Amino acid sequence: MITSKLTIERFSRLSLAQKLMCIGVLVTLFWLFIALFAPILQGIGLLQDPRDLLSNIPGESPSLRHWFGTNVRGYDVFSRTLFGSQAALKVVFLATFLSMLIGVPLGLISGYLGGKVDKVLLFFMDTIYTIPGLLLSVTLAFILGRGILNVAIAVSIAYIPQYYRIVRNHTTSVKNELFIEAAKAMGATPTRVLSRYLFLNVIQSVPVVFTLNAADAILVLGGLGFLGLGLPEEVPEWGHDLKEALPDLSTGIWWTTLFPGMAMTSMVVGLSFVGEGISEMFNPTLRNKR
């Protein structure tokens, strides 16, 4: 009892961004738990096979047997909604990791070397940045085809300039500091300066961009699935399920759109809350004002 009161008091003392971050962490951990343990839940009989459409009555409303009902093809909506978190998290983390893996080193090199290298990289990144992210992802997904890795690559390209710009700008401002000049005077190579002295000083804003891009990547994946350019049709994915459920609304079948849409929205909101909290943690000025 006393412990719960102390926990409530501590939570009430947090700022709004910190409270939202706690909520976002809980939501994100919930979907991560579902994605990891959904196969186990299926193995013990608590979840149906999300690809099984012959064992169910098509278009059945929510009931004790089918908590979220079934769609017009006979898929169990509850099972497909939970298993859809696997595809979302796989694509999201692959896409953000790939974009960070490319954008951060290029930003370090561009900001540190400057000159022609900086101008060329800046030109290419600005060219990519001017193209709308969803349009670029749709084009690349159409070229690469369906699949987890292909979709992750298609989504990641649009985020590379964001990491590049943030890291490049920080590197440009930090590379003239005294500790960098001292490292050069002691004979440190450019590779050592970049990896040992610059990297940890310019990486602070990357976690904020990572979480916000992860939230955006879920929406892009949903858009690709809705357009039929995402994952294979048999793979549970929220965007594709919403596409198939769209004609059902005119017939009064509401559950096939409600639950996948709520799942996608909750994951996006959770990751956005985490990004807001991390932004306050890494921004002392904003933290002091609040």
Side-chain angles (χ1 to χ4, degrees), residues 194-205:
L194 288 172
S195 60
R196 184 176 178 84
Y197 299 102
L198 278 175
F199 178 75
L200 294 178
N201 286 279
V202 303
I203 203 70
Q204 297 178 359
S205 298

Side-chain angles (χ1 to χ4, degrees), residues 110-111 113-123 164 168 172:
S110 179
L113 296 180
K116 293 183 179 180
V117 174
D118 183 45
K119 291 181 179 179
V120 171
L121 289 175
L122 194 60
F123 172 77
Y164 168 82
R168 174 193 173 274
T172 302

Side-chain angles (χ1 to χ4, degrees), residues 5-14:
K5 288 183 179 180
L6 291 174
T7 303
I8 295 174
E9 289 180 1
R10 291 176 181 175
F11 184 79
S12 61
R13 293 174 185 173
L14 298 176

Side-chain angles (χ1 to χ4, degrees), residues 29-262:
L29 290 177
F30 167 77
W31 284 114
L32 185 61
F33 174 84
I34 292 297
L36 291 175
F37 291 96
I40 299 176
L41 296 176
Q42 179 189 349
I44 61 178
L46 294 179
L47 282 179
Q48 283 193 357
D49 185 352
R51 303 182 184 186
D52 181 17
L53 51 80
L54 300 177
S55 303
N56 306 319
I57 301 174
E60 186 177 353
S61 61
S63 61
L64 292 177
R65 182 182 178 187
H66 303 286
W67 289 3
F68 292 176
T70 61
N71 64 8
V72 293
R73 296 180 62 184
Y75 288 121
D76 182 70
V77 178
F78 180 70
S79 178
R80 289 187 68 85
T81 300
L82 297 189
F83 271 93
S85 61
Q86 288 186 334
L89 290 175
K90 285 179 183 178
V91 172
V92 162
F93 286 111
L94 265 177
T96 48
F97 178 75
L98 288 174
S99 57
M100 184 174 61
L101 191 64
I102 298 174
V104 171
L106 289 180
L108 279 169
I109 295 172
S110 179
Y112 181 73
L113 296 180
K116 293 183 179 180
V117 174
D118 183 45
K119 291 181 179 179
V120 171
L121 289 175
L122 194 60
F123 172 77
F124 280 112
M125 294 300 168
D126 286 343
T127 303
I128 297 174
Y129 197 74
T130 55
I131 304 174
L134 181 59
L135 178 60
L136 181 60
S137 299
V138 168
T139 304
L140 291 174
F142 180 78
I143 295 172
L144 297 174
R146 295 183 173 184
I148 295 288
L149 182 59
N150 291 342
V151 173
I153 294 173
V155 174
S156 67
I157 299 299
Y159 301 137
I160 293 176
Q162 299 181 28
Y163 293 101
Y164 168 82
R165 278 180 164 275
I166 290 175
V167 174
R168 174 193 173 274
N169 293 340
H170 285 186
T171 303
T172 302
S173 61
V174 173
K175 71 176 183 180
N176 294 323
E177 295 289 339
L178 290 177
F179 69 94
I180 300 295
E181 297 296 333
K184 292 180 181 178
M186 295 175 63
T189 61
T191 303
R192 185 172 180 80
V193 171
L194 288 172
S195 60
R196 184 176 178 84
Y197 299 102
L198 278 175
F199 178 75
L200 294 178
N201 286 279
V202 303
I203 203 70
Q204 297 178 359
S205 298
V206 169
V208 181
V209 183
F210 182 88
T211 52
L212 296 178
N213 283 346
D216 184 69
I218 294 175
L219 296 176
V220 175
L221 173 63
L224 293 177
F226 192 85
L227 295 173
L229 297 173
L231 305 179
E233 293 184 359
E234 66 274 8
V235 177
E237 195 272 313
W238 294 330
H240 179 263
D241 288 352
L242 288 174
K243 173 193 174 184
E244 289 197 336
L246 190 61
D248 300 345
L249 289 174
S250 59
T251 61
I253 301 177
W254 50 267
W255 51 88
T256 55
T257 54
L258 175 64
F259 297 111
M262 288 179 61

Side-chain angles (χ1 to χ4, degrees), residues 10-24:
R10 291 176 181 175
F11 184 79
S12 61
R13 293 174 185 173
L14 298 176
S15 65
L16 178 59
Q18 291 173 334
K19 293 178 181 177
L20 293 178
M21 181 180 178
C22 293
I23 297 173

